[in-house]
């Protein structure tokens, strides 16, 4: 069994998950967010429809 990681090591591992090809961002939380880290997930949907309903749209989640 692997020894447990320290909080700093876990933070470093999670922040290292970031990359330009990833649809998410792991970042340090802002003071108002009352958290240590925040993960933001963005999904860009392709354009569909016609008339006023055309265009791509973005869906996001923050945890």
């Amino acid at each position: 069994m692997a020894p447990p990681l320290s909080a700093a090591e876990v933070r470093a591992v999670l922040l290292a998950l970031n990359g330009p090809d990833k649809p998410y961002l792991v970042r340090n939380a802002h003071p108002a967010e009352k958290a240590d880290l925040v993960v933001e997930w963005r999904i860009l949907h392709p354009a569909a429809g016609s008339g006023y309903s055309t265009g791509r749209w973005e869906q996001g989640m923050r945890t």
Side-chain angles (χ1 to χ4, degrees), residues 4 6 8-9 13 17 23-24 27-28 32 35 41-42 54-55 58:
S6 70
E9 291 170 316
V13 169
L17 294 173
Y24 55 81
R27 64 171 176 79
N28 290 309
W41 192 280
R42 300 274 185 240
T54 61
E58 185 176 296

Side-chain angles (χ1 to χ4, degrees), residues 19-60:
D21 60 333
K22 306 291 191 221
Y24 55 81
L25 172 69
V26 181
R27 64 171 176 79
N28 290 309
H30 302 295
E33 292 173 309
K34 298 182 182 176
D36 295 323
L37 294 174
V38 172
V39 179
E40 295 178 342
W41 192 280
R42 300 274 185 240
I43 301 169
L44 188 60
H45 297 275
S50 61
Y52 291 111
S53 65
T54 61
R56 300 183 332 175
W57 58 282
E58 185 176 296
Q59 182 178 5

